[in-house]
Amino acid sequence: MQSSDLGNKESGKIWHRKPSPATHDGIIVNIVHSTSEYHPKVLRFLNVAFDGSGDSFIAGDHQGNIYVFDLHGNSYDPAAPPLFFLTHPGGLSHLELLLLPDSKMLAEGSVTQFNLVQRTAQACTALAFNLRRKSEFLVALADYSIKCFDTVTKELVSWMRGHESSVCSISVHASGRYAITTSSDTAQLWDLDTFQRKRKLNIRQSVGIQKVFFLPLSNTILSCFKDNSIFAWECDTLSCKYQLPGPPDGSHILYKVFAVTRDGRILAAGGKSSHLHLWCLEATQLFRIIQMPTKVRAVRHLEFLPDSFDAGSNQVLGVLSQDGIMRFINIQTCKLLFEIGTVEEGISSSVISPHGRYIASIMENGSLNVYSVQALTQEINKPPPPLVKVIEDLPNNTGSSRNLKMKIMSQRVQRPARYTDSKIQTRVLQQDLTGNLDNKENELSEGLNKNRLQILLKGYGEYPTKYRMFIWRSLLQLPENHTAFSSLVDKGTHAAYLNLQKKYPIKSRKLLRVLQRTLSALAHWSAIFSDTPYLPLLAFPFVKLFQNNQLICFEVVATLIINWCQHWFEYFPNPPINILSMIENVLAFHDKELLQHFIDRDITSQVYAWPLLETLFSEVLTREEWLRLFDNIFSNHPSFLLMTVVAYSTCSRSPLLNCTLKDDFEYFFHHRNNLDINVVIREVYRLMETTPADIHPNSMLNAFVALTKGQYPIFNQYPKFIVDYQTQERERIRNDELDFLRERQTVENMQAEVDEQRAKDEAWYQKQELLRKAEETRREILLQEEEKMAQQRQRLAAVKRELEIKEIHLQDAARRRLLKLQQDQREMELRRLEDEIERKAQMRDQEIAATAKDLEMRQLELEAQKRLYEKDLTTSQEAIAKEIREDTDTHRRKVALEEHMFQQLLENSQMGSIRAQRAMEDSLAKAKQACLNADWQIQTLQKQKREDRQRSEGYYEVASLLRKNRRKEVEVLNAMVQEEAKKWKEAEEKEFHLQSEKKVSALSDASRKWFLRQETSAALEHEEAPWLQRQHMDSAYLPQTSRLSDVSDMDPSTQIFSRNKPTEWNHTEHDLLKNVRNLRRRLTAQARSSYQHPHLLVT
């Protein structure tokens, strides 16, 4: 099991070597996220979610870091085809190459496999990665919000809010357009095109929500509640399609977890029980109850395992129980197939990829395990043992036995078919007809054969581009020692290659970094490679070829050095004289003329052979030519490389014989030339065959030796004392250089300090000069500003004075307008009173005139009656005149006395009524005067209120303009407030006095009315008593005629009273008018005196 620690890295690989999950646990990799702080700690993963393809997933930890993991990009494909076939075009026998899965083919194109896509700074509670836009994902956070991010741009796409509690699950529709987020109290449907909420499911607080999710590949929403009720809804109309009935009566399980098959037909539900309920959603009924083993007491998670061949009707169900073990069972046979997790390393939650290849599980310790379903089901899917066993012949009869091939089927037996010359069926492994079973050295790992590869190479001239790297790895028998290579890499960059970019300025930073790492690993492996100047030239082609797999690159270069660079370092630091001598001997044997030409032009093997060897022909060949050449080099003896140097010179003898200058030779062997590599390769094979054994490099070079597994071999084929001496000298020189650099750095620092101090001094003087100039400038500006301020103050004072004068004028004008208005009002009131008096006088005159007319009419009537009575009495007077003359005198004296008495009564009664009338008029005038005084006082108080309000507004305006005199204004304002309080108090007192006067006037009016009524009644009684007495006396002593004469005798006195009454009323009217005029004069004098008080002027 591999383990990968993310650490503080934001990107990297999930694994560094091919994964080989064991069948007992199936773990591909264990991912841990730990911090490298002073107190390191492990950041716990909380949620994980696969994308729609199933090859990538995202995971979030409790600090809000969200990573995306790409399993496909890390070249692990358990479903890759197992065989690949190549057929020779010339009719040769079929060559069948057994290839491993892509996990063992680390070809070009492998990329970084995990990336930190977001830091949310808060824990995530749910994830979803199967949206319509493949690079976007949803994450529910601890603040109850849902955010959408993009894994490519790492930017926030949208932010959705609406939940009031933690979101526990996110379900995405099969189309990727809608999403349902579920919390404990509500579920909300979102439109992922607009990121707007479409609907919200509200429930009673007594009934909580367990889960709301979409059914796969359908338009149905399934809502599961805590009371075991399950409803199905139509997504578009949100109408209820059906409701599942409740669990059986004998079942006490409360559903907490749910899972649905890919076809949406079967619903699995579980809870705090060892039973699982399987519901058929089409028939809406419970069709099976599965009892888990006794160890299972509660179910924490359910998920169906997809299969590519079950058409969505998944049969395998994963059940995560309370002990942290996830058991996979077949729901039809109810058999336990396999399980993941242990009691010690329990699983917290688990997610299965949509294609069913991977299982991502979050462990209870916070790490993340990725399981291979293929490895877990390998024992289950293993075919049964064959029923037919084949007995092989003896070794001398193997030829005929190899001509038989056999097909074995379970439960069926087929006879072996004999081999014919017809074409063999594909995907059947066939042995070579000419091979020898005892030739073990030609058998390579991975089922390849070196002789067959050489035959293929001679036929095609090169290996297939797609499988070249795999064939090279097989030919070189690379051990892939990950641990040993990691230990070399962990030592860091070697000191000899710290400044590699200065000597080799490579444009690609990645390529430079890989080259530096590879060279450093070689230098840490063997000390001589830190001093080998041509090592970068030798390793660069392989670094460029294997830049995405540094382990393979290192092992290829190390294998090349051990085998094809034998004896190169025996004369270190000089070029390998012995190797160059071998090349010169072979060249002398095959082309003496060319060698003599080199000797004549003073061209040694260090000019025509060593440049090709130290660069491995990378300078003189193109990429395709170089790959084709090394296809042959790796497939042959190590001496093939030396023969290639000779063949390159012999195939280029014509241009070389024409060269005469050393620079031309050097240019020729350092640059590409017009040369066919196929011709060179054929020439090499010819030289390999025709070169005598005494000068052939085979006799002096060892055969191919692969690197050892586990640890790399010790490489000490070099003069150690020279390397040690050079190392010591280099160390001494480095120390001297360091001392010199330190001294130079000290001097430079001192010079820099001096220069810095000088610059500081100059800057200080310049700054002081600038400050002085700035100070002068500021002083001038300040003076100008002060002058401007003084002018502004003067203008402001003038404006203020103008405003004060204008305000005074306005106040005077307002006061004059108010006085005029009040005067006009008083005049109007007086005119109204005069009009009222005139109207009343007219009415009184009219009444008097009407009364006079009535009296005149009455007098006329009385005179007419008198004449009538006189006419009637004239006849009787003569008869009784004599009788009554004597009585008449007596009666006249008596009547005169009575008349005198009655006249005195009338005079007394008239004088009493006149006095009462005068008293009533006086009281009425006083009441009216009191009313007028009260009205005047009320108007005066209202005017004072208005003046107080105007003065307050004036104070506020003046306070806003003159803030500096606020203290004085506050004092004035306080004085005004006190004065106003006094005025209000005085007004209240006057109001109270007015009310009391009104009450007194009302009481006086009532008493006066009562007095008048009493006096009138007394007068009437007093008048009626004599009248009744006289009437009684007349009725007793006089006849009817005497009564009429009495009446006629009384009329003159009554007439006299009626004539005197208008004269008295005229006198009363004149007196009343005189009193009104006096009252007007008094009121005018009081008004003038009340408005002559001084006003408060604000300065």
Side-chain angles (χ1 to χ4, degrees):
M1 177 186 70
Q2 298 189 53
S3 180
S4 177
D5 190 354
L6 304 183
N8 293 328
K9 296 182 291 185
E10 295 186 358
S11 61
K13 286 192 174 183
I14 305 175
W15 53 72
H16 297 280
R17 65 179 184 274
K18 59 183 180 182
S20 56
T23 57
H24 67 280
D25 57 7
I27 300 177
I28 300 175
V29 65
N30 172 255
I31 302 173
V32 181
H33 188 194
S34 62
T35 59
S36 58
E37 300 174 354
Y38 181 73
H39 295 289
K41 61 180 180 180
V42 176
L43 300 181
R44 297 176 57 85
F45 286 101
L46 297 179
N47 288 279
V48 63
F50 277 94
D51 64 349
S53 64
D55 293 327
S56 299
F57 65 89
I58 57 175
D61 58 21
H62 71 275
Q63 285 191 353
N65 302 314
I66 301 178
Y67 291 86
V68 58
F69 299 89
D70 187 4
L71 300 176
H72 182 71
N74 226 105
S75 301
Y76 178 72
D77 189 3
L83 296 175
F84 176 77
F85 302 95
L86 292 175
T87 305
H88 195 281
L92 297 176
S93 62
H94 291 79
L95 179 64
E96 300 172 352
L97 301 177
L98 179 63
L99 301 181
L100 292 179
D102 291 344
S103 63
K104 298 183 180 180
M105 293 185 60
L106 300 177
E108 292 182 273
S110 297
V111 294
T112 303
Q113 296 315 313
F114 74 85
N115 278 295
L116 176 64
V117 296
Q118 198 56 236
R119 297 181 189 269
T120 61
Q122 52 183 326
C124 60
T125 58
L127 291 171
F129 197 22
N130 53 342
L131 277 63
R132 178 185 296 181
R133 291 175 285 273
K134 305 302 181 184
S135 61
E136 295 180 359
F137 66 92
L138 295 176
V139 54
L141 301 175
D143 61 353
Y144 313 151
S145 65
I146 303 101
K147 293 184 179 180
C148 180
F149 295 100
D150 194 299
T151 58
V152 178
T153 62
K154 301 182 180 180
E155 294 179 353
L156 176 65
V157 178
S158 181
W159 191 350
M160 298 174 285
R161 289 182 177 273
H163 283 278
E164 297 180 356
S165 59
S166 179
V167 177
C168 57
S169 69
I170 301 176
S171 176
V172 181
H173 191 266
S175 63
R177 181 179 178 184
Y178 302 107
I180 295 178
T181 56
T182 306
S183 60
S184 60
D185 55 353
T186 184
Q188 301 185 12
L189 177 64
W190 303 88
D191 189 345
L192 297 183
D193 290 339
T194 60
F195 294 100
Q196 298 294 326
R197 184 174 64 189
K198 288 191 64 179
R199 293 295 179 89
K200 181 178 180 181
L201 175 63
N202 291 319
I203 60 170
R204 297 192 303 270
Q205 294 182 356
S206 59
V207 180
I209 299 177
Q210 286 290 1
K211 191 175 183 181
V212 180
F213 56 95
F214 286 103
L215 290 183
L217 306 177
S218 69
N219 209 28
T220 303
I221 300 175
L222 212 63
S223 59
C224 309
F225 301 95
K226 292 184 179 180
D227 59 352
N228 282 359
S229 59
I230 300 174
F231 294 87
W233 312 83
E234 183 67 28
C235 178
D236 296 332
T237 61
L238 292 179
S239 58
C240 183
K241 297 177 66 175
Y242 56 84
Q243 178 185 1
L244 296 182
D249 296 335
S251 176
H252 300 288
I253 182 175
L254 289 176
Y255 296 153
K256 292 185 177 297
V257 289
F258 306 89
V260 182
T261 56
R262 295 289 294 173
D263 57 3
R265 295 182 178 180
I266 298 177
L267 171 67
K272 196 172 182 181
S273 173
S274 61
H275 291 81
L276 298 177
H277 287 186
L278 300 181
W279 292 85
C280 179
L281 297 181
E282 292 181 345
T284 64
Q285 63 181 0
L286 181 67
F287 72 92
R288 183 167 299 164
I289 298 178
I290 300 176
Q291 182 175 1
M292 296 297 292
T294 56
K295 297 180 180 180
V296 178
R297 298 189 303 274
V299 178
R300 293 166 54 186
H301 184 69
L302 291 175
E303 189 157 0
F304 280 95
L305 180 64
D307 194 347
S308 303
F309 304 101
D310 58 5
S313 60
N314 311 132
Q315 302 298 319
V316 180
L317 176 64
V319 182
L320 178 61
S321 57
Q322 85 288 342
D323 56 359
I325 299 175
M326 191 168 188
R327 298 170 175 85
F328 289 83
I329 62 172
N330 190 306
I331 61 175
Q332 297 298 332
T333 62
C334 296
K335 291 184 179 180
L336 180 63
L337 303 179
F338 61 92
E339 59 185 24
I340 58 176
T342 60
V343 177
E344 293 79 12
E345 296 181 358
I347 297 175
S348 177
S349 62
S350 186
V351 178
I352 303 176
S353 63
H355 50 50
R357 296 181 185 175
Y358 308 110
I359 302 174
S361 299
I362 298 177
M363 312 305 290
E364 293 180 350
N365 58 7
S367 63
L368 179 64
N369 280 358
V370 181
Y371 296 89
S372 171
V373 177
Q374 182 181 4
L376 293 169
T377 58
Q378 185 173 358
E379 294 294 332
I380 303 173
N381 298 330
K382 182 184 294 184
L387 300 179
V388 178
K389 300 294 184 179
V390 179
I391 300 175
E392 296 182 355
D393 293 335
L394 295 175
N396 54 2
N397 296 327
T398 56
S400 61
S401 65
R402 281 197 299 280
N403 292 335
L404 300 177
K405 64 179 181 179
M406 179 177 301
K407 296 180 180 180
I408 301 174
M409 301 291 292
S410 177
Q411 305 297 334
R412 294 174 58 188
V413 180
Q414 291 185 351
R415 297 187 62 81
R418 186 172 296 278
Y419 173 77
T420 60
D421 293 337
S422 63
K423 186 176 180 180
I424 302 176
Q425 296 181 0
T426 60
R427 297 186 181 274
V428 177
L429 181 62
Q430 185 182 7
Q431 297 180 356
D432 189 7
L433 296 177
T434 60
N436 187 3
L437 294 176
D438 296 333
N439 190 10
K440 299 295 184 181
E441 62 182 10
N442 291 327
E443 293 294 334
L444 303 176
S445 61
E446 321 298 348
L448 300 181
N449 187 279
K450 188 173 182 179
N451 292 333
R452 295 179 182 176
L453 291 175
Q454 289 177 347
I455 294 173
L456 177 66
L457 184 61
K458 289 180 180 179
Y460 286 98
E462 61 180 342
Y463 291 129
T465 303
K466 184 177 181 181
Y467 298 100
R468 175 179 281 119
M469 302 299 106
F470 171 67
I471 295 173
W472 281 14
R473 290 170 53 194
S474 300
L475 290 172
L476 300 179
Q477 302 178 21
L478 301 181
E480 299 185 15
N481 298 327
H482 292 272
T483 305
F485 177 71
S486 298
S487 64
L488 295 176
V489 172
D490 292 341
K491 294 181 179 179
T493 304
H494 198 275
Y497 299 107
L498 288 174
N499 299 322
L500 183 65
Q501 67 275 8
K502 295 181 180 179
K503 189 175 182 181
Y504 300 98
I506 302 174
K507 185 177 181 180
S508 174
R509 299 294 300 173
K510 177 182 178 182
L511 198 61
L512 177 63
R513 189 165 55 252
V514 175
L515 177 62
Q516 190 177 36
R517 191 172 298 173
T518 303
L519 296 177
S520 299
L522 291 172
H524 290 308
W525 175 44
S526 181
I528 191 173
F529 296 127
S530 62
D531 298 322
T532 306
Y534 56 85
L535 186 62
L537 301 175
L538 185 143
F540 182 74
F542 299 99
V543 169
K544 192 172 183 181
L545 191 63
F546 297 100
Q547 57 181 323
N548 292 319
N549 197 328
Q550 302 175 27
L551 171 64
I552 301 301
C553 177
F554 171 80
E555 292 187 350
V556 168
V557 175
T559 304
L560 178 72
I561 292 174
I562 291 176
N563 293 279
W564 282 270
C565 298
Q566 298 180 39
H567 310 293
W568 280 29
F569 308 99
E570 293 179 357
Y571 294 91
F572 185 83
N574 298 318
I577 307 299
N578 49 353
I579 300 298
L580 298 178
S581 300
M582 295 181 196
I583 295 172
E584 189 172 353
N585 293 334
V586 175
L587 181 61
F589 178 79
H590 291 282
D591 197 340
K592 294 182 180 180
E593 181 182 0
L594 182 59
L595 180 61
Q596 188 62 40
H597 179 69
F598 288 155
I599 295 172
D600 295 341
R601 298 296 182 269
D602 196 18
I603 303 301
T604 62
S605 58
Q606 296 184 13
V607 176
Y608 66 82
W610 182 237
L612 301 177
L613 289 176
E614 67 179 357
T615 61
L616 296 179
F617 296 90
S618 61
E619 289 184 343
V620 297
L621 298 178
T622 62
R623 175 185 174 87
E624 290 75 13
E625 292 174 346
W626 188 86
L627 292 173
R628 192 178 305 169
L629 173 62
F630 270 84
D631 284 343
N632 292 271
I633 292 175
F634 288 151
S635 301
N636 290 277
H637 193 271
S639 60
F640 193 88
L641 178 62
L642 305 182
M643 291 297 185
T644 305
V645 177
V646 177
Y648 188 84
S649 298
T650 56
C651 292
S652 305
R653 64 189 314 272
S654 297
L656 290 175
L657 291 174
N658 293 328
C659 294
T660 57
L661 299 177
K662 186 176 182 180
D663 294 338
D664 295 339
F665 287 101
E666 291 178 352
Y667 182 86
F668 183 86
F669 289 104
H670 283 280
H671 294 80
R672 295 176 183 176
N673 302 292
N674 188 14
L675 186 63
D676 188 1
I677 192 62
N678 295 323
V679 176
V680 175
I681 292 173
R682 287 196 295 270
E683 180 66 16
V684 173
Y685 280 108
R686 188 187 68 81
L687 295 177
M688 291 286 291
E689 295 176 355
T690 59
T691 301
D694 55 344
I695 62 173
H696 201 290
N698 284 346
S699 59
M700 288 168 280
L701 298 179
N702 299 325
F704 175 80
V705 177
L707 296 177
T708 58
K709 283 187 174 292
Q711 295 293 333
Y712 295 116
I714 299 174
F715 185 82
N716 55 2
Q717 299 175 6
Y718 57 89
K720 191 173 184 301
F721 66 95
I722 295 178
V723 175
D724 294 341
Y725 174 75
Q726 286 189 348
T727 303
Q728 294 174 0
E729 285 296 317
R730 188 180 300 104
E731 189 67 25
R732 184 183 60 80
I733 294 172
R734 185 179 295 108
N735 293 331
D736 294 342
E737 288 180 353
L738 291 176
D739 295 338
F740 172 73
L741 291 175
R742 281 195 295 269
E743 293 178 357
R744 189 175 66 180
Q745 186 66 30
T746 303
V747 174
E748 290 178 355
N749 291 338
M750 294 176 63
Q751 184 65 31
E753 289 178 358
V754 172
D755 296 339
E756 184 179 1
Q757 186 63 34
R758 186 183 298 110
K760 287 182 179 179
D761 294 340
E762 294 178 358
W764 186 80
Y765 286 121
Q766 293 177 359
K767 187 175 180 180
Q768 293 298 322
E769 183 67 22
L770 292 175
L771 289 175
R772 186 183 62 79
K773 293 180 179 179
E775 185 178 0
E776 293 178 356
T777 305
R778 297 296 186 278
R779 187 176 290 107
E780 293 176 358
I781 294 173
L782 184 60
L783 292 175
Q784 295 176 1
E785 291 296 329
E786 288 180 353
E787 292 177 358
K788 292 181 180 179
M789 185 64 69
Q791 294 176 0
Q792 290 180 357
R793 288 177 179 174
Q794 293 176 0
R795 288 195 296 269
L796 184 60
V799 172
K800 189 188 298 183
R801 285 193 297 273
E802 292 178 358
L803 289 175
E804 291 177 354
I805 295 171
K806 188 180 294 184
E807 184 180 3
I808 293 171
H809 291 334
L810 290 175
Q811 289 179 357
D812 292 339
R815 186 170 57 255
R816 287 194 296 271
R817 284 197 304 270
L818 183 60
L819 292 175
K820 187 176 182 303
L821 180 61
Q822 290 177 354
Q823 185 176 358
D824 294 340
Q825 289 178 354
R826 295 295 178 271
E827 291 178 355
M828 289 176 63
E829 185 68 21
L830 292 175
R831 284 196 297 270
R832 185 179 64 79
L833 292 174
E834 289 178 354
D835 294 337
E836 185 69 20
I837 292 170
E838 291 178 356
R839 185 177 62 81
K840 289 183 178 181
Q842 291 177 0
M843 290 177 64
R844 185 182 57 203
D845 293 340
Q846 290 175 1
E847 290 177 357
I848 292 171
T851 305
K853 289 180 180 180
D854 291 339
L855 292 174
E856 289 177 356
M857 289 298 295
R858 183 64 177 167
Q859 185 177 1
L860 292 175
E861 290 178 356
L862 291 174
E863 289 178 354
Q865 289 179 359
K866 182 179 179 181
R867 292 187 190 101
L868 181 62
Y869 292 153
E870 288 178 354
K871 186 179 179 180
D872 292 335
L873 292 175
T874 302
T875 58
S876 60
Q877 283 179 356
E878 291 178 356
I880 62 173
K882 190 176 179 177
E883 294 179 2
I884 64 174
R885 187 173 290 117
E886 295 175 1
D887 295 333
T888 302
D889 293 335
T890 305
H891 180 69
R892 283 180 180 176
R893 287 190 297 270
K894 184 179 180 179
V895 168
L897 181 61
E898 291 178 357
E899 184 70 23
H900 178 70
M901 293 174 63
F902 182 72
Q903 187 66 31
Q904 288 180 355
L905 177 62
L906 289 177
E907 288 178 359
N908 294 330
S909 177
Q910 187 175 4
M911 290 301 293
S913 62
I914 290 171
R915 292 190 191 97
Q917 185 177 2
R918 287 179 180 177
M920 184 179 63
E921 289 176 356
D922 292 338
S923 301
L924 181 60
K926 290 179 181 180
K928 289 183 179 179
Q929 182 65 33
C931 291
L932 291 175
N933 293 334
D935 293 338
W936 179 257
Q937 291 173 359
I938 291 171
Q939 292 176 1
T940 304
L941 292 175
Q942 290 179 354
K943 172 122 181 17
Q944 290 178 357
K945 289 181 182 179
R946 288 194 297 271
E947 289 180 354
D948 293 338
R949 185 167 57 254
Q950 291 176 358
R951 280 196 296 274
S952 300
E953 294 176 356
Y955 293 154
Y956 292 146
E957 292 178 359
V958 171
S960 63
L961 296 175
L962 304 175
R963 298 182 181 276
K964 294 182 180 180
N965 297 328
R966 187 178 299 275
R967 185 176 300 172
K968 294 182 180 181
E969 293 176 359
V970 170
E971 294 177 357
V972 173
L973 184 61
N974 292 332
M976 291 297 296
V977 171
Q978 293 176 1
E979 184 66 22
E980 184 179 1
K982 293 179 181 179
K983 292 293 183 180
W984 278 109
K985 187 174 181 182
E986 183 179 357
E988 290 177 357
E989 292 176 354
K990 289 182 179 181
E991 181 67 22
F992 178 75
H993 185 265
L994 178 62
Q995 296 296 330
S996 63
E997 289 293 332
K998 286 182 179 180
K999 291 180 181 179
V1000 171
S1001 177
L1003 292 174
S1004 64
D1005 291 340
S1007 64
R1008 185 171 58 253
K1009 289 180 181 179
W1010 177 81
F1011 176 75
L1012 290 176
R1013 284 195 299 268
Q1014 293 293 329
E1015 290 295 329
T1016 303
S1017 60
L1020 290 176
E1021 291 176 356
H1022 181 70
E1023 290 176 357
E1024 287 177 357
W1027 176 261
L1028 292 174
Q1029 185 178 3
R1030 186 179 57 186
Q1031 187 176 5
H1032 178 69
M1033 291 174 66
D1034 291 340
S1035 60
Y1037 297 103
L1038 295 175
Q1040 183 70 25
T1041 57
S1042 63
R1043 296 178 187 175
L1044 294 174
S1045 63
D1046 293 338
V1047 172
S1048 62
D1049 293 336
M1050 290 173 60
D1051 289 337
S1053 63
T1054 306
Q1055 185 176 4
I1056 293 171
F1057 173 76
S1058 63
R1059 290 176 181 175
N1060 294 330
K1061 192 173 183 180
T1063 305
E1064 294 175 358
W1065 284 354
N1066 291 330
H1067 289 293
T1068 305
E1069 181 181 356
H1070 288 298
D1071 295 337
L1072 181 60
L1073 290 175
K1074 185 178 180 181
N1075 294 330
V1076 169
R1077 291 190 187 97
N1078 295 330
L1079 177 62
R1080 289 176 61 185
R1081 282 194 294 270
R1082 287 198 306 272
L1083 292 174
T1084 303
Q1086 289 178 4
R1088 289 177 180 175
S1089 62
S1090 63
Y1091 283 98
Q1092 287 178 359
H1093 63 275
H1095 292 274
L1096 179 61
L1097 299 180
V1098 181
T1099 58

